[in-house]
Amino acid sequence: MTRRPSLCTRREALKGLALSASALTLAPKSMFGEALAGTTKLPNIVVILSDDVGYGDLGCYGGTGVHTPNIDKLAKGGLRFTDAHSDAATCTPSRYALMTGEYAWRKPGAHILPGDAALLIDPAKPSLASTLKRAGYATGCVGKWHMGLGNGNIDWNGDIRPGPNEVGFDYSFIIPATPDRVPCVYVENHRVVGLDPKDPIVVSYKENIGTDPTGHDHPELLKMGLSDGHDGTIVDGISRIGFMSGGHSARWVDEMMEKTLARKATSFIEEHKSQPFFLYFATSDIHVPRDPNNQFVNTSACGIRCDAIEQLDWAVGQVMETLDKLNLTDDTLIVFSSDNGPIVDDGYADGSVEHLNGHKPAGAFRGGKYTIFEGGTRMPFITSWPGHIQPGTSDALVGQVDLLASFGTLAGVPAAEREVPDSTNQIQALLGKAKTGREYIVEESTVLAIRKGQWKLVDANQPVGRGHGSRTDTEGVEYQLYDLAHDISEANNVAQTHPEIVRELAAKLKEIRAQGHS
């Protein structure tokens, strides 16, 4: 149940809304150029962040064997980006960057977190949510969180804080970490949903606890086999990473997860239809374990992974239909993207590799999740706002890290550069009013890479120290330089023939890292 803000909070929100609306009315050209001239109303903002969806996984990006009519419709009526990036090739870092406007490699501990990790975001610093809340938006977070909760010693049977609500969200309904990690429960605001106090939850990532069977000891109980790891506590017939006991009445059912999250997302929209709202909808699909609802099983031509993509498309459609029903479509800016590149076998023997049938999750790009190549961070990225964004395609270089500065400017509450060190205002590019975006962008896996125009430099001298990923792609190689204008698949290292480009990009990357901001 949504908690009502205090009277003081509501007054501050209304004051912020009035000031923002006034700024939009009185100075649209000076603040936004021609992008929003004449606009006097703050748009609703919906960010839909899918999970492990690659550049080639959607129909509008050339995906075959999979049907994504809702996302394709969003792209047809909006702007489809060809050079948009997540911060990292893995989930926690990329989400951290999107929410804070800071490259995750600057943040100690910003690796793939276990389910009992402490909150990674500093509540005292601006976030995407707190920035828009300051502008008068009602803010909601639904779906996969995976940026930590609490202060390092979580009591899953009491109030769980700090979390999304402490970094700017009025309402949250979240999966604490990932669908393949314990605890396998939903947390609404600060409490586990449906918990029986007589069956308390205990979680451990160090040792087996309780009496629940594990995938390691009882593989015969699994409805989905294992290919690597994931042999902890069995929940809903699927074994997870980590161990948990208790909370049986609160445990989720995997095949109902996306429907549950979609229902919460659309309910948030319905409850806040009369005021500007920001919804961060981080879907569970298509992250493992892939156990889509029976409605979507065997609906694609490329196996269970693509079935999950079609379920994701359905969830996006639920949001779009709700906006249409409430006559909010023309008043809403939607962003659709993914947190990192694709992976097929990610620990479960679900048949996803065997049934791809020619489908190419990363499209023409090399690599995918966990890798430094373009397949790891170049994302499907769509913006839609009828009447403000003309349908088309954009080649502008933009990053998810730019959403904070861009939306803050759009709402009339730009953040100070020192508070969001790597987020740049790209609102003109996001709305299709400018053909160019960033000059440089940094990408990460276990090492860093930097992009400028057609050039990409992978610098093995810039390790990040992540817990996942492999150095095998860069081991023993000081630099790798790729000319993406002529070698989109990063097959040919041209560092030896373009030493001047190597020197320029290597120096720029070291500068960005050393100075603490972009």
Side-chain angles (χ1 to χ4, degrees):
M1 183 176 180
T2 306
R3 295 189 175 182
R4 292 177 59 85
S6 67
L7 181 59
C8 180
T9 301
R10 294 200 301 273
R11 285 173 175 167
E12 290 176 355
L14 290 171
K15 181 180 178 182
L17 175 58
L19 290 173
S20 300
S22 175
L24 284 166
T25 303
L26 297 177
K29 289 189 177 181
S30 61
M31 188 176 296
F32 309 115
E34 298 297 327
L36 293 177
T39 296
T40 59
K41 183 178 181 181
L42 290 171
N44 307 309
I45 298 175
V46 176
V47 173
I48 304 175
L49 189 69
S50 59
D51 202 318
D52 293 353
V53 173
Y55 190 95
D57 270 330
L58 308 172
C60 53
Y61 279 89
T64 59
V66 62
H67 305 95
T68 53
N70 294 300
I71 299 172
D72 295 351
K73 180 181 177 182
L74 198 66
K76 185 177 181 180
L79 197 60
R80 183 177 64 86
F81 285 78
T82 64
D83 204 3
H85 293 260
S86 61
D87 167 62
T90 50
C91 44
T92 297
S94 68
R95 291 163 191 267
Y96 174 85
L98 182 154
M99 196 58 61
T100 65
E102 177 182 48
Y103 285 139
W105 44 265
R106 298 193 193 278
K107 177 71 173 181
H111 50 74
I112 300 176
L113 296 179
D116 59 354
L119 180 65
L120 193 60
I121 300 172
D122 183 351
K125 294 183 178 180
S127 73
L128 180 56
S130 66
T131 298
L132 292 175
K133 184 174 181 177
R134 185 160 60 95
Y137 280 78
T139 54
C141 171
V142 175
K144 176 182 169 183
W145 180 242
H146 207 194
M147 289 179 278
L149 294 167
N151 293 312
N153 187 22
I154 302 173
D155 177 8
W156 296 101
N157 309 289
D159 269 3
I160 302 168
R161 65 177 75 213
N165 300 71
E166 283 65 48
V167 299
F169 286 104
D170 298 314
Y171 172 77
S172 63
F173 185 95
I174 62 169
I175 300 168
T178 60
D180 60 340
R181 284 174 171 81
V182 300
C184 300
V185 295
Y186 301 114
V187 175
E188 188 169 28
N189 295 321
H190 299 108
R191 305 287 296 195
V192 171
V193 177
L195 179 64
D196 181 354
K198 298 178 181 179
D199 185 27
I201 296 172
V202 180
V203 170
S204 175
Y205 276 78
K206 297 179 180 179
E207 59 184 358
N208 192 5
I209 53 176
T211 59
D212 288 87
T214 66
H216 180 274
D217 296 331
H218 293 281
E220 75 281 0
L221 299 179
L222 299 176
K223 65 182 182 182
M224 183 181 299
L226 307 176
S227 63
D228 181 48
H230 296 89
D231 60 355
T233 299
I234 298 174
V235 176
D236 191 27
I238 301 171
S239 56
R240 318 286 167 155
I241 298 174
F243 306 97
M244 73 175 290
S245 66
H248 290 82
S249 64
R251 297 184 183 188
W252 65 52
V253 176
D254 288 81
E255 67 177 38
M256 293 303 299
M257 181 178 289
E258 199 74 338
K259 287 182 176 287
T260 299
L261 299 180
R263 184 174 68 253
K264 291 295 181 178
T266 55
S267 293
F268 177 83
I269 293 172
E270 290 168 346
E271 291 172 11
H272 298 89
K273 61 185 178 182
S274 299
Q275 64 185 116
F277 62 80
F278 164 55
L279 171 63
Y280 171 63
F281 181 25
T283 72
S284 62
D285 284 327
I286 58 171
H287 198 283
V288 295
R290 303 175 187 117
D291 187 23
N293 190 274
N294 286 337
Q295 177 182 347
F296 305 99
V297 174
N298 296 324
T299 56
S300 75
C302 41
I304 192 170
R305 184 177 177 278
C306 291
D307 294 346
I309 294 174
E310 298 198 2
Q311 179 172 260
L312 161 68
D313 183 76
W314 170 88
V316 173
Q318 293 297 293
V319 171
M320 295 168 66
E321 289 176 16
T322 300
L323 293 172
D324 282 344
K325 179 182 68 176
L326 299 174
N327 296 316
L328 295 175
T329 298
D330 291 349
D331 299 324
T332 304
L333 168 59
I334 299 178
V335 175
F336 173 88
S337 192
S338 180
D339 63 344
N340 50 246
I343 190 166
V344 182
D345 181 349
D346 202 14
Y348 293 98
D350 58 7
S352 56
V353 175
E354 298 86 340
H355 298 118
L356 274 180
N357 292 327
H359 177 73
K360 297 180 179 180
F365 299 112
R366 179 179 175 183
K369 186 176 183 178
Y370 308 129
T371 76
I372 194 59
F373 298 107
E374 290 294 278
T377 67
R378 195 183 293 214
M379 298 291 99
F381 191 97
I382 299 164
T383 61
S384 176
W385 185 12
H388 294 273
I389 295 177
Q390 292 300 312
T393 302
S394 174
D395 298 327
L397 179 65
V398 296
Q400 294 171 1
V401 71
D402 297 320
L403 293 185
L404 199 163
S406 301
F407 290 165
T409 300
L410 178 69
V413 286
E417 288 184 11
R418 67 181 182 275
E419 297 177 323
V420 288
D422 301 298
S423 189
T424 63
N425 174 23
Q426 299 297 332
I427 192 62
Q428 298 286 345
L430 296 179
L431 297 180
K433 308 299 182 181
K435 293 183 179 180
T436 59
R438 281 175 161 265
E439 182 180 10
Y440 298 93
I441 196 166
V442 180
E443 307 168 27
E444 71 155 276
S445 65
T446 54
V447 295
L448 296 183
I450 186 169
R451 278 282 316 281
K452 179 187 179 184
Q454 72 194 70
W455 300 105
K456 175 173 179 176
L457 181 75
V458 178
D459 189 350
N461 294 312
Q462 298 281 338
V464 180
R466 298 295 183 220
H468 283 69
S470 172
R471 288 292 300 276
T472 57
D473 293 325
T474 55
E475 199 71 47
V477 181
E478 188 176 18
Y479 296 111
Q480 293 182 42
L481 180 69
Y482 298 102
D483 179 357
L484 299 180
H486 301 96
D487 179 25
I488 197 66
S489 61
E490 297 171 276
N492 302 301
N493 180 7
V494 296
Q496 295 297 321
T497 55
H498 294 280
E500 74 288 355
I501 302 296
V502 172
R503 287 193 295 269
E504 175 194 347
L505 295 182
K508 187 63 178 179
L509 182 56
K510 290 177 181 178
E511 174 190 327
I512 291 171
R513 189 166 195 174
Q515 69 189 7
H517 60 87
S518 292

